[in-house]
Amino acid sequence: MIFSKLNIVKNTILFTGLFCLSNSSIAQQSFTSGELKMSLNKEGSITELSNSLTGKNYLSLDTISPLITLVSNDIRYKPASMAYDKIQKKITLGYPTTGVSIDVRVSSKNTHLVLEIIRAAPESKIDAIVWGPIPNTISKTIGEIIGVVRDGEISLGIQVLNIKTLGGDYPTREGSTWARGIAAVPAKWGSTLQAYSINRDRDRFVDAWGGLYKNMPVKALKGETVVGSKIAIFSCKESITFNRLEQIEIAENLPHPTVNGVWFKKSNLYGKSYMISSYGEKDIDEMIGYTKRAGLVSLYHEGPFKSWGNFVLNPDQFPNGRDGLKNCVDKAHAAGLYLGMHTLTNFINTNDPYVSPVPDNRLSLTGNSTLNRNIDADQNTIEVASPEYFNDEKGNNLHTVKIGSELIRYKSVSSTAPYLLVDCQRGAFGTTRSAHQAGDQVGKLFDHSYNVFFPNLDMQREVAKNISKLMNETGVDHLDLDGHEGALASGQGDYALELFAKDVYDQVKHDFIIGTSLSKTFYWHIGSYYNWGEPWYGGFKESMQQYRIDNQGLFDRNYMPHMLGWYLLAENTTLSEMEWMLSRAAGYHAGFAMVARPAALRKNSQSNLLLDAIREWEMARNGNAFSKAQQEALKNPKNEFHLEKRDEGKWTLYQYAMSPVFTREKFERQPGEPTHTTWNLQYPWKEQPLQFRMQITGEKGSVKNIKMQIDNYVELLFPVELAAGESLVSDGTETIRFYDKNGKPKGSFKLQNKLPTVSAGAHKILIDSDFAGDETPKIEVQFKGLDKMEKIELSKTIH
C-alpha cells in the first residue's frame, strides 16, 4: 500500500515534469507571423529574424541580441534565462543578478508579432527596459523615426504600440532625444531596432529639457510602470511596407486619422500646401479669397491668441470671441477650406489666467528650496536654504520663483551662505505681494526665452483639453504643435510629448490636420505632416534652404509627406523668386506653407501673379504633370523655371539658362584711361528683355556708382551702394530689387532707362563703378534667359 502510494507520487512527479517540459522551452523557441520568423535561445536572446520570402536570416550574428535589456540602478543587464509557456503564450526572462523577472505575452497576427510585458518584478529594481536593441544586417534605408529598415527587397520593422513605449534605446533618464528619431539607427553590421519604457511609478531626478535643467525632481506617476509596454515586430516585401504599417495601425487600435473615411496618409490632403496668415472677423472673406486663388487647402492663423494656456482669443481680431472664430470657420468650410490656428503647444504666457493674478500650483518647477526666515510683503532680499536651481543661469530667462500665490523675480543668488535671493521684485506678473513663513516652499519656475512658463504633466493634460475644447466649439480643423518640446518641461521626456498629442487627438471630435516641431515614433501615427524650415533668416533661396532639402531624405526614409517648410510672401516678393521656390517644391513633390499677411498681399503689385503661380504649380505638382527627368532638373537650385498655363490642366514649362559669371574687380589705370570693364556676352537665347543677377563678393568693402552699358547705346544706372555679400536682380521689368547678404529684400528702384530687349548673338557689356574700403570686393554678374521649353499636362493618375 505504501509502495503504491510512492509509485503514485513518483508518477505524478514524472508527469508534472513532462508537463512542464512540454510547456517551457529550455533550448530555443520560434514564433512566426506573416513572413517573419523570430527565434529565441534559452538565455533570452534573439537568434533569428528571417523572412520567408527570401529565406534569409537578417539578424546580425556578430553581437548579442537580447529580447529585453533591463536597466537597474543605471546598469544594463541582458537576460540570462528564458522559459516559454505554450498554453499562456508567455515568455519569462530572468535577470538573476538583480532578482528581476519579466513576463512577455506573445501574440501572432497575420501581419506582425505582438510582444507585451504583462509582469515585471520586483518593480523597485527596475529603472527602465529596452526592447532589444535588435542588430540586423540591413543598412540601405534606415527609418529612424518609424523604426523600419529596408534593403530594396524586404523591410524589417519595430512598432511601438502605446505611448509608454518610446522609440529608442533609453538615451537619458529623462527619456528624451533631440535627434529626429532613434527607433532605428545605423550600426557597423547594418542597423539596430529598439524601443524602451521607463518605470515612472517612483519619484525621480532627471536632467530635463535634453539635459539643460539639472537634477529636476519629478513626481511619480502612480501605476505607470513598464508593465504594458508593447511592441510589434514585422517583416514584409519592401513594396508593401506602407500598407503593412496601416494594417498594424488598425489591428492594434493605434491612432488612425482619416479624411472622409480615408487614411490621411492616403488621402488627397497628404503633402498639400497651405497658407499662413492673420485673419479676423473683418478680413476673413478677403483672406479666404486669397487662399482660394492660390489653390491652397487651408488658411492657418499665425497668432490668434491673447494668451496661451487658456487660449484667450485676441479681441481685436475676434471681438465676438469664439462665436466670431466659429463664424470664420464656417465661411472657410463653405469655401472648401480648412481653417487653422497657431500655438506653441503648452507654452503659457505670463498674462494667462494660469499665471496671473493667481498662479496655478501646477506650474512646472525646475526645483525648490525653503525659506529660512519669515518675510513680509515688501522685503526684497529673501533667504533660502539652498542656492540650487536658483543659480542655474543656462535656462533661467525670467528669474521667477513661486511662494504660495505670489510670483517673485530676483536678480541673483549669493554664492555662499546665507543664500540670498537679492533685488527681488515682489508681486511679479500681476500677482499679490504677501508675507510668507519660514519653511514655506520656494519653487523655481520652469521658463523659456519666449517669456513663458510651463505646466507640470497634470496641468499639461488640462492644456491639451483646452485646445481640444476650443477646436470642438469652433470647428477649427488645423493645428500645429509648434514648440512641442515644451512638454519636456514636465520632466517626463518624450513620453509627455506623445501624451500631449494623443490627448488632443483623442478629444477633438472631428477630422483635423496636425503638424509638429519635433518627430517622435508614436506621433508618426497621429501627424499629418512635418513642415520644417523658417523664412525669417533670408530670402527664398537663402533661408535654411539646404536644411529644407536635407529633410526630404528624412521624409523618404520614414514614409512621411514631403514638405519644404515656411516661405514668406512679402510686399516686394517677385514672380521669379516665387517660381524658384515652386520649382523646388515640384522637384521634390513637396508641399509648403506660404506666409502671406494681408498687408503684404495688398501692397505687392504682383500679388495676383504670385497667387496664380502658386495655384498652377501646385496643380501641376499634385497632378503628377512633371516627368522624373523634369523633377530631377527642378530639384537643382541652380536651375530656374517659369510655368505658363496653356489650357486647363496643361502648361508650358520654360527653363532659364545662365551665362558664365562675369567679374569686375578694382585695378589701377593710367590718368585719363577709362575705368570700365568690358565683357563680351554670347547670348544664345531668343529675343527677350535683359535679365541678370549682380552679386558683390568678398569679405569687406562696398561698391557704388555702378553703371552698365549695353551695345554702346543703352546705359543703366544703379543708384545704390552695395556692401560685400549684397546683390541686385533684374527680372526683365523696369524695377531693380536689391538684397542684403542673407538674401533678405532691402529695397527697390526703377531704372531711368528701359531695359533693352536682347536678341541671340554677341553683345558688348561695359560696366563701371567706384570701390570703397581697404579690402575691395568684386562685382560678379550672371545673365539669364528663357531657354528650354516643354509641354506638360496632368497625369491620369493624380496623387
Side-chain angles (χ1 to χ4, degrees):
M1 199 61 188
I2 295 174
F3 179 80
S4 298
K5 287 182 178 179
L6 287 174
N7 280 339
I8 292 171
V9 171
K10 287 180 181 179
N11 289 337
T12 302
I13 293 170
L14 176 62
F15 177 80
T16 303
L18 290 172
F19 179 83
C20 292
L21 285 173
S22 69
N23 285 282
S24 63
S25 173
I26 58 172
Q28 180 161 293
Q29 181 65 46
S30 297
F31 307 92
T32 59
S33 181
E35 302 91 328
L36 174 73
K37 180 181 179 183
M38 182 182 79
S39 299
L40 301 176
N41 64 16
K42 63 181 180 180
E43 286 83 28
S45 290
I46 302 171
T47 57
E48 179 183 11
L49 275 179
S50 60
N51 183 290
S52 61
L53 298 175
T54 64
K56 295 179 184 178
N57 181 9
Y58 293 92
L59 187 78
S60 173
L61 302 179
D62 292 339
T63 184
I64 297 174
S65 176
L67 178 63
I68 293 178
T69 299
L70 169 70
V71 184
S72 180
N73 291 324
D74 292 328
I75 299 173
R76 298 188 179 219
Y77 297 91
K78 296 179 175 63
S81 65
M82 184 277 294
Y84 179 62
D85 187 318
K86 292 183 179 180
I87 294 177
Q88 296 187 46
K89 296 182 178 179
K90 179 184 70 175
I91 294 169
T92 297
L93 301 174
Y95 304 81
T97 304
T98 64
V100 170
S101 67
I102 298 175
D103 290 349
V104 180
R105 180 186 293 121
V106 184
S107 304
S108 181
K109 306 287 181 74
N110 290 333
T111 51
H112 60 287
L113 200 65
V114 178
L115 304 170
E116 180 181 6
I117 295 177
I118 57 175
R119 187 189 67 87
E123 179 272 329
S124 61
K125 296 288 187 70
I126 301 172
D127 300 341
I129 62 92
V130 179
W131 292 97
I134 303 173
N136 65 86
T137 58
I138 298 176
S139 61
K140 184 177 181 181
T141 304
I142 299 173
E144 61 267 54
I145 299 169
I146 188 58
V148 177
V149 295
R150 299 173 270 161
D151 68 358
E153 188 174 21
I154 67 103
S155 294
L156 181 66
I158 186 171
Q159 292 288 281
V160 300
L161 300 183
N162 50 38
I163 61 170
K164 72 160 53 189
T165 311
L166 303 168
D169 185 18
Y170 186 54
T172 64
R173 282 188 185 181
E174 180 192 28
S176 73
T177 175
W178 293 118
R180 287 300 190 202
I182 55 172
V185 296
K188 61 182 180 181
W189 49 75
S191 59
T192 62
L193 301 171
Q194 54 266 318
Y196 70 99
S197 183
I198 294 176
N199 179 11
R200 302 177 192 275
D201 188 16
R202 55 168 67 172
D203 292 342
R204 299 181 294 137
F205 288 87
V206 306
D207 293 341
W209 202 278
L212 182 64
Y213 296 91
K214 302 296 183 184
N215 206 34
M216 176 180 171
V218 179
K219 291 291 186 183
L221 300 180
K222 292 302 179 183
E224 187 60 38
T225 67
V226 300
V227 173
S229 181
K230 190 176 182 184
I231 63 167
I233 300 177
F234 73 95
S235 185
C236 65
K237 188 184 297 185
E238 180 172 329
S239 60
I240 67 167
T241 306
F242 195 50
N243 290 335
R244 179 62 56 88
L245 291 170
E246 182 184 18
Q247 291 169 331
I248 295 172
E249 201 170 85
I250 294 171
E252 299 305 323
N253 198 30
L254 293 169
H256 187 70
T258 59
V259 176
N260 298 323
V262 178
W263 189 31
F264 185 92
K265 291 176 173 61
K266 290 182 176 179
S267 76
N268 60 5
L269 289 178
Y270 189 75
K272 291 297 190 295
S273 303
Y274 56 97
M275 181 175 286
I276 296 177
S277 189
S278 60
Y279 60 80
E281 295 176 51
K282 291 182 180 179
D283 51 13
I284 182 63
D285 295 314
E286 178 186 11
M287 289 310 306
I288 286 174
Y290 290 136
T291 308
K292 291 289 289 183
R293 181 159 191 159
L296 301 176
V297 300
S298 179
L299 173 59
Y300 182 84
H301 201 304
E302 62 180 327
F305 300 110
K306 181 181 177 182
S307 75
W308 300 318
N310 281 276
F311 304 104
V312 181
L313 288 168
N314 184 340
D316 293 336
Q317 295 172 322
F318 301 99
N320 293 300
R322 295 190 176 190
D323 288 340
L325 176 57
K326 184 180 187 306
N327 187 48
C328 292
V329 171
D330 292 343
K331 287 184 174 183
H333 288 176
L337 299 175
Y338 283 71
L339 201 76
M341 59 184 189
H342 190 71
T343 73
L344 286 181
T345 305
N346 68 339
F347 288 40
I348 299 176
N349 297 115
T350 57
N351 64 324
D352 190 80
Y354 279 133
V355 175
S356 180
V358 179
D360 196 291
N361 288 328
R362 298 170 297 167
L363 289 170
S364 181
L365 304 175
T366 63
N368 58 71
S369 183
T370 55
L371 281 178
N372 266 0
R373 300 176 185 276
N374 296 347
I375 60 172
D376 61 30
D378 298 315
Q379 197 165 325
N380 65 3
T381 299
I382 299 174
E383 184 178 340
V384 292
S386 168
E388 188 182 9
Y389 307 115
F390 310 111
N391 59 7
D392 186 353
E393 289 299 311
K394 288 183 180 178
N396 195 352
N397 301 282
L398 294 177
H399 280 240
T400 303
V401 298
K402 179 179 180 294
I403 308 177
S405 294
E406 182 185 4
L407 299 185
I408 303 168
R409 301 185 75 175
Y410 64 98
K411 182 178 180 181
S412 60
V413 58
S414 56
S415 57
T416 59
Y419 299 110
L420 304 175
L421 304 182
V422 300
D423 196 11
C424 294
Q425 309 300 307
R426 304 295 300 274
F429 305 113
T431 61
T432 301
R433 299 180 179 207
S434 57
H436 304 286
Q437 303 300 310
D440 285 354
Q441 177 179 289
V442 184
K444 171 65 182 66
L445 286 183
F446 205 124
D447 63 24
H448 187 273
S449 59
Y450 281 22
N451 293 334
V452 293
F453 298 120
F454 293 99
N456 67 13
L457 194 70
D458 177 54
M459 184 176 167
Q460 173 189 292
R461 302 199 73 176
E462 186 171 287
V463 171
K465 184 177 181 180
N466 293 343
I467 292 177
S468 306
K469 183 179 179 182
L470 173 63
M471 294 176 71
N472 289 331
E473 288 179 358
T474 63
V476 164
D477 47 9
H478 188 176
L479 178 69
D480 223 325
L481 297 181
D482 197 4
H484 201 168
E485 63 273 16
L488 297 177
S490 66
Q492 296 290 358
D494 289 348
Y495 170 85
L497 278 79
E498 303 281 33
L499 180 62
F500 192 98
K502 188 173 187 298
D503 278 345
V504 172
Y505 174 81
D506 287 343
Q507 293 176 77
V508 175
K509 298 177 182 177
H510 50 264
D511 293 346
F512 64 102
I513 305 169
I514 188 168
T516 178
S517 59
L518 297 176
S519 51
K520 299 299 171 184
T521 302
F522 185 86
Y523 178 83
W524 184 91
H525 300 284
I526 295 172
S528 308
Y529 62 81
Y530 309 75
N531 199 21
W532 300 311
E534 298 182 0
W536 323 120
Y537 314 112
F540 277 70
K541 299 182 181 181
E542 291 82 5
S543 189
M544 304 178 72
Q545 190 57 32
Q546 190 57 50
Y547 169 81
R548 300 168 191 265
I549 290 171
D550 291 344
N551 281 331
Q552 307 313 305
L554 176 83
F555 299 150
D556 279 331
R557 296 192 298 272
N558 291 283
Y559 296 98
M560 292 153 66
H562 284 226
M563 300 294 288
L564 276 178
W566 297 20
Y567 290 90
L568 178 65
L569 191 164
E571 61 185 69
N572 46 17
T573 297
T574 66
L575 181 61
S576 61
E577 290 172 316
M578 181 64 73
E579 289 201 292
W580 184 91
M581 184 278 293
L582 292 168
S583 301
R584 306 292 86 76
Y588 287 101
H589 200 79
F592 53 84
M594 184 56 59
V595 181
R597 292 157 177 154
L601 288 164
R602 293 166 192 152
K603 290 179 181 178
N604 192 313
S605 61
Q606 292 189 303
S607 283
N608 287 341
L609 283 175
L610 300 175
L611 297 174
D612 290 346
I614 293 171
R615 182 188 65 247
E616 297 304 321
W617 277 94
E618 282 292 276
M619 187 180 296
R621 174 179 78 87
N622 291 311
N624 295 326
F626 302 103
S627 68
K628 293 295 184 183
Q630 287 168 340
Q631 283 184 279
E632 288 305 309
L634 288 161
K635 288 178 183 177
N636 189 339
K638 294 182 179 179
N639 295 335
E640 297 188 36
F641 296 86
H642 170 62
L643 190 68
E644 194 171 291
K645 182 178 179 179
R646 302 192 333 265
D647 201 348
E648 283 302 317
K650 297 181 179 180
W651 303 268
T652 300
L653 178 66
Y654 295 91
Q655 183 171 347
Y656 288 95
M658 307 299 292
S659 76
V661 176
F662 293 90
T663 303
R664 168 177 165 78
E665 54 188 311
K666 184 179 181 180
F667 51 87
E668 298 298 327
R669 295 290 177 94
Q670 297 179 24
E673 183 180 1
T675 59
H676 65 254
T677 299
T678 301
W679 297 332
N680 293 310
L681 171 64
Q682 291 296 325
Y683 197 80
W685 311 298
K686 68 178 184 178
E687 186 174 79
Q688 55 192 282
L690 184 69
Q691 299 182 62
F692 59 87
R693 177 183 177 87
M694 180 184 296
Q695 182 81 34
I696 310 304
T697 62
E699 296 296 324
K700 296 180 180 179
S702 62
V703 182
K704 60 183 177 180
N705 299 326
I706 306 169
K707 55 185 176 181
M708 182 186 292
Q709 183 175 285
I710 297 93
D711 292 335
N712 297 322
Y713 84 103
V714 175
E715 187 169 77
L716 307 177
L717 303 176
F718 307 109
V720 292
E721 182 172 354
L722 298 175
E726 297 184 337
S727 61
L728 61 77
V729 173
S730 161
D731 61 1
T733 68
E734 62 182 1
T735 300
I736 302 293
R737 303 175 190 277
F738 52 99
Y739 303 83
D740 69 14
K741 63 181 180 180
N742 294 316
K744 286 187 177 181
K746 283 190 69 176
S748 64
F749 58 88
K750 291 189 175 181
L751 294 167
Q752 293 179 345
N753 295 323
K754 185 179 179 181
L755 278 168
T757 298
V758 186
S759 58
H763 298 274
K764 185 177 181 180
I765 309 292
L766 304 182
I767 186 165
D768 207 347
S769 64
D770 293 331
F771 293 92
D774 295 332
E775 296 182 34
T776 54
K778 298 178 182 179
I779 300 176
E780 293 185 351
V781 176
Q782 265 191 302
F783 298 91
K784 75 174 186 178
L786 279 172
D787 182 25
K788 188 176 180 181
M789 180 180 73
E790 296 178 285
K791 292 183 177 180
I792 64 171
E793 60 183 63
L794 291 177
S795 169
K796 292 181 181 179
T797 304
I798 298 177
H799 178 75

